[in-house]
Amino acid sequence: MENRDNSRRTLLKGGSAWFGLTVLRMAGPERILGQQDAEVIPWLDEPPPNPVPQITGNLLRWETLDSRLTPADKFFYVQHYGIPDGLNDSTWHVDLHGLVARPRSLTIADLKARDHHEVEYTLECSGNNGIDGGFFIGGIGNARWGGTRLAPLLESAGILDQGTEVVFWGADGGREIIRDNTGVVSGGRTGVVEPDTGGSQDLTVTETFARSMSMREAMGRDNLLCYEMNGQSLPREHGFPVRLIAPGWYGVANVKWLTRIEVIDHRFAGKFMARDYVTVREEQRNGQTVWTFTTVGRARLKSAPAKVTRQQNRYMVHGAAWGAPIASVQVQVDDGPWMEATLDDPPETRRSRGYTWRLWRLNWDQPSSAVHTIRSRAIDIDGNVQPTRDDATFASRRTFWEANAQIARTVRIP
Ligand SMILES: Nc1nc2c(c(=O)[nH]1)N[C@H]1C(S)=C(S)[C@@H](COP(=O)(O)O)O[C@H]1N2
Ligand SMILES: [Mo]
């Protein structure tokens, strides 16, 4: 994962929990986190209601997290242009074209006839924030995605030498307004483009949802043309009949309702690459302020406390960690010392381990009757630590995307 945070703190390298796991193997994740009879102590800091249910919904209520897989009907969705019409798996096809020797049009039956591959992957929207970021803290879920691998399909089409980038097109789209200087250039006295002088015109375009990857990224061996979620046919809101699944990336890369895969020889600059889902940073370099603009890409190391439970007098903090192969998770109560949480089993397949969240829990010994702050931080197998809000990688952000800072929640212990 190239986009991991730079804060390499080898101090915590290879946290002991990674090796201590075998001890826990006997209990499945449900047993560990389920505790169905335990009482959930509500957070004091509940997010406000979702103001944009047409764009996103079914957001995870963290307090309900009790198994590693999120059922499809509880899985959050994001749809910038609604669910497209005409979804029909008998007529649907995905075109693979552009700079390829053998363009192809693949039906669902063609895809299903190819090798079946599954990957468990936690998909988080890059807009998912901490509790201080507004309503959007539940834009995350974990599923077993099934389909066929993208890379061999691309190869079979014969990528031409000049093909450097792959664009994945959805079926959904809408009207977008782009500033255009035609009026200034043709009508202006000087002929010089002068933005924001009132002479510019807006251009209304119809834009289809699309995202691109470099050829190398697209060839990643776990990318799937996905038609199944948790062993069932992909639901409409999650991209039926076919979507891209790009394990290790933020949600936006996973184009739903896929209709076209196009190989091109330039950088694709559609809305969701170049205008929206762009992280803007204000960085200090050698005493100078530099603004940077990057497309939201690979997932980032992150964790969140999910809930506090009580069974008789036994309190527990539960949560999840994801975005990189997790070595350990630590929890801090108020200003106390960081305590090592216990991680649940990793998923069965080796490859899924870095892609899927790890649930964790911590025995909370004898909390006092008071309001407490609970914070977690994840550490990956390379020793990277989930940033605090003050870390430069986080604090330099001027947009809300990729908010992977440590999350603090508050709870009142009676
Ligand atoms: N075609 C299409 N694909 C899309 C989107 C979209 O609006 N249209 N939203 C993206 C975003 S921003 C996210 S976070 C994920 C969400 O996937 P889900 O709805 O299955 O949870 O889908 C991505 N794929
Ligand atoms: Mo997203």
Side-chain angles (χ1 to χ4, degrees):
M1 308 204 176
E2 289 148 26
N3 216 359
R4 242 183 261 154
D5 292 293
N6 304 324
S7 53
R8 296 186 141 255
R9 296 179 199 168
T10 45
L11 161 79
L12 292 153
K13 196 161 185 150
S16 55
W18 182 249
F19 301 104
L21 275 169
T22 39
V23 183
L24 285 166
R25 278 274 157 74
M26 298 184 27
E30 284 78 10
R31 281 281 306 284
I32 291 179
L33 270 137
Q35 292 206 319
Q36 301 300 2
D37 42 346
E39 172 197 357
V40 175
I41 316 283
W43 296 118
L44 295 179
D45 51 2
E46 282 298 334
N50 172 10
V52 283
Q54 68 283 11
I55 295 174
T56 187
N58 227 0
L59 297 170
L60 172 68
R61 274 200 62 228
W62 280 98
E63 296 86 331
T64 67
L65 182 69
D66 60 8
S67 70
R68 208 176 65 222
L69 288 177
T70 311
D73 62 352
K74 299 252 166 58
F75 205 102
F76 86 101
Y77 60 83
V78 175
Q79 52 201 35
H80 291 279
Y81 302 114
I83 298 179
D85 297 330
L87 303 173
N88 178 334
D89 58 357
S90 56
T91 54
W92 196 265
H93 51 93
V94 179
D95 292 338
L96 173 44
H97 66 131
L99 298 171
V100 295
R102 292 172 294 280
R104 316 178 55 175
S105 183
L106 295 134
T107 64
I108 309 308
D110 292 335
L111 296 179
K112 289 186 174 168
R114 299 180 64 85
D115 280 349
H116 184 259
H117 183 67
E118 280 197 346
V119 61
E120 189 181 318
Y121 153 55
T122 299
L123 190 155
E124 183 190 23
C125 178
S126 51
N128 200 38
N129 266 260
I131 189 67
D132 39 11
F135 78 98
F136 201 48
I137 68 164
I140 185 166
N142 182 55
R144 234 174 58 235
W145 309 95
T148 195
R149 285 194 159 107
L150 171 66
L153 254 179
L154 286 173
E155 268 158 16
S156 73
I159 309 290
L160 300 182
D161 283 348
Q162 62 273 36
T164 51
E165 182 134 330
V166 184
V167 190
F168 302 91
W169 295 89
D172 51 328
R175 282 149 68 87
E176 299 287 354
I177 293 167
I178 299 178
R179 189 172 61 77
D180 178 64
N181 283 313
T182 313
V184 180
V185 177
S186 55
R189 276 181 307 259
T190 61
V192 174
V193 177
E194 293 173 63
D196 300 327
T197 52
S200 63
Q201 297 176 349
D202 287 336
L203 177 68
T204 302
V205 300
T206 300
E207 188 151 359
T208 301
F209 186 93
R211 281 275 307 190
S212 74
M213 284 181 176
S214 70
M215 185 58 69
R216 190 160 158 261
E217 293 165 340
M219 284 292 186
R221 58 168 274 145
D222 293 309
N223 293 333
L224 289 188
L225 297 189
C226 163
Y227 49 80
E228 283 168 5
M229 183 178 188
N230 294 337
Q232 307 281 307
S233 170
L234 198 59
R236 279 164 52 87
E237 57 273 29
H238 297 296
F240 173 88
V242 184
R243 78 180 300 173
L244 179 68
I245 280 292
W249 289 69
Y250 272 116
V252 68
N254 298 260
V255 177
K256 302 192 277 189
W257 312 297
L258 194 64
T259 58
R260 289 200 289 134
I261 301 171
E262 185 185 8
V263 177
I264 60 175
D265 62 359
H266 54 275
R267 287 179 191 144
F268 176 71
K271 172 172 174 175
F272 298 92
M273 292 299 288
R275 282 175 280 140
D276 208 347
Y277 289 83
V278 171
T279 291
V280 179
R281 289 195 156 83
E282 188 182 2
E283 295 175 353
Q284 297 306 316
R285 292 192 197 153
N286 304 325
Q288 294 226 307
T289 302
V290 177
W291 289 81
T292 65
F293 305 81
T294 48
T295 298
V296 166
R298 307 241 184 204
R300 286 170 183 271
L301 179 62
K302 190 168 171 184
S303 71
K307 61 183 170 186
V308 172
T309 58
R310 176 174 64 182
Q311 211 161 19
Q312 275 114 32
N313 279 330
R314 194 155 157 253
Y315 286 84
M316 270 198 177
V317 185
H318 309 253
W322 64 93
I326 302 299
S328 63
V329 172
Q330 298 173 340
V331 179
Q332 185 187 43
V333 178
D334 303 322
D335 296 324
W338 287 96
M339 297 173 281
E340 204 75 24
T342 304
L343 294 175
D344 78 346
D345 282 356
E348 315 76 56
T349 58
R350 251 193 91 70
R351 296 204 68 81
S352 281
R353 284 183 194 179
Y355 298 145
T356 184
W357 61 16
R358 301 282 299 277
L359 304 190
W360 52 261
R361 71 199 158 114
L362 177 89
N363 278 316
W364 186 8
D365 277 335
Q366 317 226 317
S368 60
S369 304
V371 172
H372 294 284
T373 299
I374 304 210
R375 189 187 308 272
S376 67
R377 66 179 182 192
I379 296 138
D380 73 11
I381 57 171
D382 295 322
N384 298 301
V385 181
Q386 182 185 353
T388 66
R389 303 187 62 80
D390 301 333
D391 283 356
T393 50
F394 189 84
S396 61
R397 290 159 59 261
R398 293 293 171 268
T399 43
F400 67 97
W401 309 111
E402 305 180 85
N404 69 325
Q406 294 168 21
I407 293 172
R409 302 293 305 263
T410 55
V411 68
R412 184 194 310 279
I413 299 298

